[in-house]
Amino acid sequence: MNVQLKTYKVIPLQMPGLKRLLSYQRTWLRGDVLAGVTVAAYLIPQCMAYGELAGVEPVVGLWAILPPMIIYTLLGSSPQLSVGPESTTAVMTAAAIAPLIAANGGNYASFASLLALMVGVVCIIGYIAKLGFLADLLSKPILTGYMAGVAVIMITGQLGKIGGIGIEANTVSGEVGEFLSQLNRIHWPTLILATLVLFFLFTIQRRFRTAPGPLLAVLLATAAVALFNLDERGVAIVGEIPAGLPQFALPSLSVQDFLPLVASAIGIAIVGYSDNVLTARAFANRNHYKIDANQELLALGTSNLGNGLMQGFPISSSGSRTVIGDSLGSKTQVFSLVALVVVVLVLLFLRPLLAQFPKAALGAIVIYAATKLIEIPEFIRLGQFRRSELFLALITTVGVLLTDILIGVGIAVGLSVIDLFARVARPHDAVLGEVPGLPGLHDIEDWEGAKTIPGLVIYRYDAPLCFANAENFKRRALEAIEAEAVPVEWFVLNTEAIAEVDITAIDTLAELQSELAARNITFAMARVKQDLYIQLKRSQLLQKIGNERIYLTLHTAIAGFSERDRHSSSKVVESDK
């Protein structure tokens, strides 16, 4: 007996971004530079707003863009994706840390940095385990519903900022209720300023899609603060910003601080990676290139590690910034490096300007970004396609709104898996027959006038056979036989959709073959793939069925059935003699 020892190879560190930079073409430079400058103009106020959303100082939102831009440029597989602070992960960061601070106190910024480190570790473990395929578990309806729920949370979270009132609640219903109960305390200059910023943003979006609307809005709002002394009238501003760039620092937290964040880190990693890889795939399909889903785990993980070591917080990708870069001709991650230079210049030389940013304007930018996450046309499209898809989207939205946002992540993943499992457990099936004037064999329920070959049932089950659907398969196969008007002599299982089986399915096939044999019905299989054939042979089911009853095509199976007729006829003739 030969024993083979399995060897494990160390996964080499790949740098697709670096390879792309080394083969850079000068014709790409103009588009990359224009995209980089414009994206920087957009991300400066946006990332400051996301810093507020995450519960840290607004300037931390700018710090959190720096390490990811460099790291993703080297390790990322997408030439166009813009990584950095993003609304969903910012909301989840605040949701994870706020209860811990409220219960035990502590340094919020250290918690945020620690959470970024943990998210990075989770992603890198996923990369080593090659778990990139798990992103496929989040179906389109689930993501649509989840993002809509997150958008509502983002909007209600800004009610206090745009109204100039203090709101202590941290749930959607609580925030709305507290806001409505304090309508008489609204600070009208703050609310008017936020309303004007929102009006400006939507107007710019409608008429000038590639214009840096958020930057222009904040600059105008800042000018209004200076011109009308709004800060002296009670309009809150960002205030003094620390000088310089972020410094290397390890979060100084204990194991007691670490353990409560484990579940949060896993949830943020799942959502952040899903958003990252889906956005990257969308632009890859649009511009005809490919991305590596597993490589994206490594790029996102190391980007979060960089943020954790440089006073940042968990990040993912930004669809809005990626859209802007794409519309202006970005070809490589050089556009991110250009944006990085612009942000550094702002941090070093334009801090007094940033200090005058009104918080109401930042809140309005968050609301503006949130509205883009609610895709009403997509809900309508889901309903027109299949009601179950719309139901999944709506139940996910409700789950996110009525529960803790991390539980909402679990609901989204769970619903995706349940939906997938339901399709495998109860798939479509078909009895195949001939249609007059149409070549080939077709589902008899799909075509008027379609008929089966008398005495022969060709049955197709459109899913791999496993423990989840084995009994369902057997029951429906027997029902197909009972539905025939002419007594069935042969039952042929078309296995084109059955790539593999488990031991439960093997036993079920054996039971079906035995039951049919007891009724003098021959059991055969057609279109058997090599992998399935090997599994049948290993399980010894092949010996029971008989190798002569395994057919490569449906036509050879029908020919085998016809030969049975001629063989039977020849026996009758011989007996007459």
Side-chain angles (χ1 to χ4, degrees):
M1 179 177 178
N2 294 326
V3 178
Q4 294 182 351
L5 296 177
K6 189 173 182 180
T7 58
Y8 294 88
K9 296 181 179 179
V10 177
I11 301 176
L13 181 63
Q14 298 181 8
M15 294 189 176
L18 180 60
K19 292 181 180 179
R20 198 176 293 113
L21 291 178
L22 294 176
S23 59
Y24 194 82
Q25 299 179 22
R26 296 180 65 181
T27 54
W28 298 341
L29 186 60
R30 182 181 182 278
D32 283 339
V33 171
L34 181 59
V37 173
T38 307
V39 167
Y42 183 86
L43 71 82
I44 288 172
Q46 185 190 55
C47 289
M48 291 181 68
Y50 290 160
E52 284 266 311
L53 194 62
V56 296
E57 294 296 324
V59 71
V60 178
L62 293 182
W63 290 353
I65 197 72
L66 303 180
M69 279 184 165
I70 298 173
I71 294 170
Y72 190 86
T73 295
L74 299 176
L75 298 179
S77 65
S78 171
Q80 293 186 292
L81 194 66
S82 178
V83 295
E86 182 266 335
S87 56
T88 310
T89 50
V91 170
M92 295 179 72
T93 297
I97 297 176
L100 298 179
I101 296 294
N104 306 315
N107 188 317
Y108 197 107
S110 293
F111 272 108
S113 297
L114 176 63
L115 190 56
L117 281 174
M118 295 171 65
V119 170
V121 170
V122 170
C123 290
I124 291 174
I125 291 174
Y127 165 75
I128 295 173
K130 297 184 178 180
L131 298 181
F133 72 93
L134 291 177
D136 297 334
L137 294 178
L138 292 173
S139 63
K140 180 66 175 179
I142 298 303
L143 286 172
T144 299
Y146 178 75
M147 290 303 176
V150 168
V152 174
I153 291 174
M154 289 172 60
I155 292 171
T156 59
Q158 302 306 305
L159 292 177
K161 291 186 180 67
I162 66 172
I165 55 180
I167 293 181
E168 301 296 330
N170 54 15
T171 64
V172 171
S173 58
E175 288 167 342
V176 173
E178 196 170 338
F179 179 78
L180 294 177
S181 67
Q182 299 187 62
L183 288 178
N184 59 332
R185 297 178 55 191
I186 285 180
H187 187 255
W188 288 104
T190 299
L191 181 61
I192 291 172
L193 179 63
T195 302
L196 290 175
V197 170
L198 275 173
F199 178 79
F200 177 82
L201 287 170
F202 284 112
T203 302
I204 285 289
Q205 178 194 26
R206 189 178 301 111
R207 296 187 178 182
F208 309 99
R209 293 185 179 274
T210 60
L215 177 65
L216 295 175
V218 172
L219 289 177
L220 290 174
T222 303
V225 169
L227 184 62
F228 299 107
N229 298 319
L230 295 181
D231 54 332
E232 297 178 3
R233 298 174 180 268
V235 174
I237 59 175
V238 170
E240 184 179 354
I241 296 174
L245 301 174
Q247 303 294 318
F248 177 87
L250 284 172
S252 56
L253 296 172
S254 64
V255 176
Q256 293 179 344
D257 297 323
F258 175 85
L259 293 178
L261 293 177
V262 172
S264 301
I266 294 173
I268 294 173
I270 292 172
V271 173
Y273 172 68
S274 300
D275 182 53
N276 192 87
V277 75
L278 287 173
T279 304
R281 280 180 178 171
F283 285 90
N285 292 335
R286 177 184 299 182
N287 296 307
H288 311 293
Y289 57 84
K290 294 183 179 181
I291 62 123
D292 184 335
N294 209 57
Q295 182 69 22
E296 289 301 301
L297 272 171
L298 175 63
L300 182 62
T302 50
S303 295
N304 274 285
L305 282 180
N307 260 358
L309 297 174
M310 298 295 289
Q311 302 173 271
F313 57 89
I315 55 92
S316 180
S317 64
S318 168
S320 59
R321 297 197 298 268
T322 306
V323 167
I324 292 174
D326 177 65
S327 66
L328 293 169
S330 65
K331 298 297 182 184
T332 71
Q333 286 294 329
V334 166
F335 91 94
S336 291
L337 298 180
V338 172
L340 170 70
V341 171
V342 174
V343 172
V344 170
L345 291 175
V346 169
L347 283 170
L348 292 178
F349 303 110
L350 298 177
R351 289 182 297 105
L353 178 62
L354 295 183
Q356 295 299 311
F357 280 5
K359 290 187 177 182
L362 296 177
I365 291 174
V366 171
I367 294 175
Y368 167 72
T371 60
K372 294 186 175 183
L373 298 179
I374 304 176
E375 301 178 277
I376 300 298
E378 189 63 25
F379 279 95
I380 296 174
R381 187 173 76 95
L382 292 174
Q384 292 173 341
F385 176 70
R386 186 183 292 133
R387 287 186 178 180
S388 63
E389 303 274 358
L390 176 61
F391 173 77
L392 285 173
L394 293 175
I395 198 66
T396 304
T397 301
V398 173
V400 169
L401 294 178
L402 296 184
T403 67
D404 179 85
I405 193 168
L406 296 177
I407 297 177
V409 175
I411 291 174
V413 174
L415 285 175
S416 295
V417 173
I418 290 171
D419 184 47
L420 173 64
F421 192 76
R423 294 178 187 275
V424 173
R426 298 294 182 268
H428 176 267
D429 68 343
V431 174
L432 304 182
E434 297 174 328
V435 179
L438 190 66
L441 297 170
H442 307 275
D443 187 343
I444 61 174
E445 293 186 359
D446 291 344
W447 297 90
E448 186 177 352
K451 295 181 179 179
T452 59
I453 300 171
L456 173 65
V457 170
I458 302 176
Y459 178 74
R460 190 186 72 213
Y461 195 72
D462 294 336
L465 280 181
C466 61
F467 69 94
N469 58 22
E471 285 301 319
N472 176 263
F473 156 75
K474 181 182 175 182
R475 176 178 58 80
R476 291 162 76 177
L478 292 173
E479 288 174 354
I481 293 174
E482 296 299 331
E484 289 294 299
V486 177
V488 176
E489 299 179 48
W490 272 42
F491 177 87
V492 177
L493 176 61
N494 177 3
T495 65
E496 62 180 293
I498 304 175
E500 61 179 27
V501 291
D502 62 11
I503 195 64
T504 305
I506 287 291
D507 291 344
T508 302
L509 287 172
E511 292 171 7
L512 178 62
Q513 192 272 342
S514 297
E515 290 185 27
L516 295 182
R519 297 166 58 177
N520 294 321
I521 298 175
T522 298
F523 179 86
M525 302 175 75
R527 303 195 68 175
V528 178
K529 298 179 177 65
Q530 182 69 14
D531 290 344
L532 178 59
Y533 182 86
I534 293 173
Q535 292 174 34
L536 294 174
K537 189 174 181 179
R538 287 176 178 171
S539 66
Q540 299 182 347
L541 180 60
L542 183 63
Q543 297 176 8
K544 185 174 182 179
I545 297 173
N547 197 60
E548 70 279 5
R549 293 292 178 256
I550 303 297
Y551 298 95
L552 295 179
T553 67
L554 293 177
H555 294 295
T556 55
I558 295 173
F561 175 73
S562 300
E563 287 291 335
R564 178 272 320 162
D565 284 340
R566 284 196 287 272
H567 185 63
S568 298
S569 298
S570 65
K571 281 188 175 182
V572 171
V573 172
E574 289 178 3
S575 63
D576 289 342
K577 290 181 180 179

